[in-house]
Amino acid sequence: MRPLITAFVLSLTFTSAYADDLEDRYFEAQQAFEDNMRNFYSSISPEVGAKFPRMMEDERVRGAMRCGLDFLRAEGGESAAEAMVEWVERAATTPIEEFEDLAGPPSDQVDETLLLAAADACNSIEISMELMEESGFMDAMTSPEVLQKMQEN
């Protein structure tokens, strides 16, 4: 009986450590992806890039990200959460050259229905929109100069 209890405790420890590692990877990759997006928007207009919100500095975003990762684990299994983190890691290191590069993960890698359900359950879209409004990013994106540059891109 004692070996079984020991194995159970060890499995919880390793699962918890893996979960923390996955969250750390997710947050690190998301910060790099945010920087990548800011660089892209700066290439369109320095004003727009400067107003792109610092999402990862906001606890609302970090809470929504934790919620989303937990949702993916609960509803899609550890492999769904891992697939999402791997996609963000790839997106963080891939240069963004046009708006199509911001389309999100391919459905053959991450289940789109599951992602939308996670975003809905965790208020991710609402929080992002609030931050973009608060920072002035949305107003900057709709200026005539920026709209012209976006059409050219």
Side-chain angles (χ1 to χ4, degrees):
M1 182 68 150
R2 187 171 205 160
L4 183 61
I5 293 171
T6 302
F8 178 72
V9 169
L10 285 174
S11 73
L12 288 178
T13 302
F14 289 126
T15 300
S16 177
Y18 176 74
D20 291 344
D21 179 58
L22 191 64
E23 183 178 293
D24 290 345
R25 284 176 46 211
Y26 188 37
F27 281 25
E28 184 177 318
Q30 191 64 41
Q31 178 63 62
F33 184 53
E34 177 183 313
D35 294 341
N36 199 6
M37 288 189 296
R38 186 172 293 103
N39 290 336
F40 170 70
Y41 286 116
S42 292
S43 74
I44 293 171
S45 164
E47 177 191 4
V48 172
K51 292 188 178 202
F52 189 79
R54 303 223 173 257
M55 302 272 192
M56 293 303 297
E57 293 176 8
D58 192 286
E59 190 52 43
R60 294 173 292 178
V61 170
R62 295 174 75 81
M65 288 178 61
R66 278 186 205 94
C67 172
L69 202 56
D70 289 344
F71 186 95
L72 290 174
R73 284 184 177 124
E75 299 298 321
E78 198 65 37
S79 63
E82 179 71 35
M84 179 62 186
V85 172
E86 288 174 357
W87 178 83
V88 175
E89 288 172 333
R90 283 190 302 278
T93 58
T94 303
I96 301 169
E97 297 173 357
E98 54 189 47
F99 283 101
E100 287 77 29
D101 296 335
L102 295 171
S107 59
D108 65 333
Q109 293 176 14
V110 180
D111 182 341
E112 186 176 333
T113 304
L114 190 59
L115 286 180
L116 291 173
D120 185 49
C122 300
N123 296 318
S124 302
I125 295 169
E126 293 84 358
I127 293 167
S128 296
M129 294 302 290
E130 286 173 14
L131 287 171
M132 288 188 279
E133 288 287 338
E134 290 169 8
S135 71
F137 177 76
M138 295 301 282
D139 288 337
M141 285 291 290
T142 58
S143 76
E145 172 191 313
V146 171
L147 290 172
Q148 178 63 36
K149 287 183 180 182
M150 288 181 352
Q151 287 177 346
E152 294 168 3
N153 236 347

